[in-house]
Amino acid sequence: MASITRRPSKKAERQAEVEAAVLGATERLLRDGTAFTELGVQRIADAAGIARSTFYLYFRDKTDVMRRITENLGRAAFETSEAVTADLESITRAHVEVFAFYRERAHLLAAVVEVSGYEPEIREVWNAAVRRFADNMTRMLEEEQEAGRTSAELVPHTCAEVIVWGGMRVIAHQVATHGPETDLAVARELAANQWFGAFRRP
């Protein structure tokens, strides 16, 4: 029997079109140096080429826009480093890739860090994204521990939390305050601290 592929409805197509326009416009405004606190719904709607009333058909408010940007940023960052394995070279390479990823999206990272400081909804979305990294790190540490390659005294979940949350602070600071020419050195230092401090702890 031949399969039937259903085309998206006009309503779904319109929704996807408007949402992409709003997210794209917001990202452009942030890239141009506008702080998220300075962005109003009307300005976002104008930049997206839609009416203010249309904006409210698909978004609750501008915080809803930031929520979706944060979700997309966290998901894409995780996918960038998802293939990391428990060896020093792989961990170093993952950090290099993450630095490159956030360099291209420095305006988004800065906005997420800013807004999560005062907006609980965004803070929880960002925290959930970072927890994915911590969960993955916990799994890797547990596997190494079970294989007898790392210390039996190590507490995988706690160690992963320290590694990931500390690493995110370093990455955000590096991207915001230093040039890309130092990214490799910082990536190597982060990886070495993780590898010798956790995976191969004496």
Side-chain angles (χ1 to χ4, degrees):
M1 181 177 178
S3 63
I4 299 174
T5 302
R6 296 183 178 178
R7 295 185 60 188
S9 67
K10 292 293 184 181
K11 182 178 180 180
E13 288 180 351
R14 176 57 175 165
Q15 179 175 346
E17 180 182 282
V18 171
E19 290 180 351
V22 169
L23 295 177
T26 305
E27 291 184 14
R28 288 194 301 274
L29 289 167
L30 293 171
R31 184 183 293 111
D32 291 342
T34 305
F36 186 74
T37 51
E38 298 173 3
L39 288 181
V41 168
Q42 187 62 59
R43 186 172 179 184
I44 294 172
D46 289 344
I50 61 172
R52 182 186 178 94
S53 58
T54 302
F55 175 96
Y56 284 113
L57 287 175
Y58 304 103
F59 295 90
R60 183 184 69 245
D61 49 29
K62 74 172 192 174
T63 299
D64 193 23
V65 177
M66 179 53 70
R67 177 183 63 80
R68 300 195 203 187
I69 288 175
T70 304
E71 288 173 342
N72 292 341
L73 185 68
R75 181 169 53 252
F78 184 80
E79 291 170 355
T80 297
S81 61
E82 195 171 12
V84 64
T85 55
D87 62 83
L88 180 57
E89 182 181 348
S90 179
I91 294 172
T92 302
R93 185 168 58 249
H95 281 305
V96 170
E97 292 172 355
V98 168
F99 274 124
F101 174 87
Y102 282 121
R103 283 262 173 223
E104 294 178 5
R105 300 161 181 82
H107 55 295
L108 300 182
L109 179 60
V112 168
V113 171
E114 172 203 346
V115 179
S116 64
Y118 61 80
E119 181 55 63
E121 179 181 355
I122 304 306
R123 182 162 57 249
E124 178 50 37
V125 172
W126 184 239
N127 287 353
V130 177
R131 280 196 296 269
R132 291 188 68 189
F133 287 91
D135 289 345
N136 193 50
M137 181 67 70
T138 298
R139 177 189 57 77
M140 291 168 60
L141 287 168
E142 287 173 343
E143 291 175 352
E144 291 297 291
Q145 198 173 53
E146 289 170 4
R149 290 188 289 265
T150 195
S151 172
E153 296 179 357
L154 179 143
V155 181
H157 174 72
T158 301
C159 188
E161 290 270 309
V162 171
I163 288 173
V164 173
W165 284 103
M168 276 306 307
R169 291 291 298 272
V170 171
I171 290 168
H173 177 74
Q174 172 70 9
V175 169
T177 63
H178 297 286
E181 67 278 0
T182 61
D183 285 353
L184 179 57
V186 177
R188 285 174 172 163
E189 193 61 36
L190 275 173
N193 272 271
Q194 292 174 16
W195 183 251
F196 297 109
F199 287 91
R200 293 299 178 268
R201 179 180 299 183

